[in-house]
Amino acid sequence: MKTKLIILTCAVLAFASCTDTTTYSRQLDAEKQLIKEYINRNELNILTAWPDSSYVWNEKDYLQVPDEDYFYYHLVDAGDTESDTISYTDDVIFRFRKYSLNVYADTISYWSTMDGAEPVSFSVSSYASSEWTSICACSGVAKALKFMNHKNAEAKIICPSKMGIADDENSVTPYCYDLKIKGVKK
């Protein structure tokens, strides 16, 4: 009788633990749903192809970047278009703000300060080895910085967890970023 009771208890516990865990697949589905809800709630206009260079981005225009699931890019300001285009190997000094996609967004990181004598810079070509990697230099930010092209450019992105920093990817949490290029080291 004791053995049957132990087996029954183990079976109930095993079943209960299976129903309490969320699979990675379900977490990804929830992430996609959160991104869709954010887009709908903010009434964003999703572009499916790159607009030409003369296109004036409306406040709610976001490009679903081709070949990147659930990664969206919005150009706020093209920056100093009279200056040289930023090269792939230039070090970019930038500021960012990272926040959640919740109805009442939680700001995770405020604008980073770049006012010191030795501001930290970030090379888009080698972002994986940058000091910024642990803070925000994820593949989503690197991709957005490549699109920005000029000093003083500003952009916004919706970044899925797979393009975020390791903590975001592990928790399957998407974030939005506001980005500003404040300087360039050639």
Side-chain angles (χ1 to χ4, degrees):
M1 182 67 172
K2 244 184 183 177
T3 307
K4 288 181 183 179
L5 186 60
I6 291 172
I7 291 172
L8 180 61
T9 303
C10 289
V12 168
L13 289 174
F15 179 75
S17 68
C18 289
T19 59
D20 286 346
T21 57
T22 303
T23 65
Y24 181 65
S25 176
R26 285 189 179 155
Q27 289 176 320
L28 288 175
D29 289 343
E31 174 185 46
K32 291 174 187 175
Q33 186 61 35
L34 180 60
I35 292 171
K36 288 176 186 176
E37 288 170 2
Y38 178 83
I39 289 169
N40 290 334
R41 185 173 58 249
N42 290 286
E43 300 175 346
L44 301 181
N45 176 39
I46 303 303
L47 308 174
T48 56
W50 279 101
D52 64 31
S53 59
S54 63
Y55 182 77
V56 177
W57 290 72
N58 292 318
E59 182 180 334
K60 297 199 180 256
D61 287 345
Y62 274 73
L63 170 71
Q64 182 173 7
V65 177
D67 302 322
E68 296 292 350
D69 287 338
Y70 295 92
F71 178 71
Y72 298 88
Y73 172 81
H74 170 73
L75 183 65
V76 175
D77 185 344
D80 298 337
T81 56
E82 301 298 317
S83 65
D84 290 339
T85 300
I86 295 171
S87 151
Y88 184 63
T89 57
D90 291 339
D91 285 347
V92 176
I93 300 166
F94 74 100
R95 298 178 75 194
F96 69 94
R97 179 173 43 211
K98 178 180 175 182
Y99 49 96
S100 70
L101 279 63
N102 300 331
V103 173
Y104 301 104
D106 296 318
T107 301
I108 308 305
S109 301
Y110 291 93
W111 292 113
S112 56
T113 305
M114 296 295 169
D115 299 328
E118 296 290 327
V120 178
S121 59
F122 166 89
S123 175
V124 174
S125 63
S126 61
Y127 78 88
S129 62
S130 167
E131 291 177 49
W132 282 99
T133 301
S134 63
I135 300 171
C136 82
C138 54
S139 62
V141 169
K143 185 172 282 290
L145 290 174
K146 289 179 197 176
F147 300 152
M148 293 167 74
N149 295 327
H150 298 284
K151 182 179 175 187
N152 294 323
E154 295 182 34
K156 295 176 181 245
I157 60 172
I158 301 170
C159 187
S161 61
K162 71 177 184 175
M163 296 179 76
I165 62 173
D167 288 347
D168 302 343
E169 190 169 1
N170 292 337
S171 65
V172 192
T173 305
Y175 286 100
C176 291
Y177 287 83
D178 294 340
L179 303 168
K180 294 181 182 183
I181 294 177
K182 297 306 291 178
V184 179
K185 293 182 189 177
K186 297 270 183 191

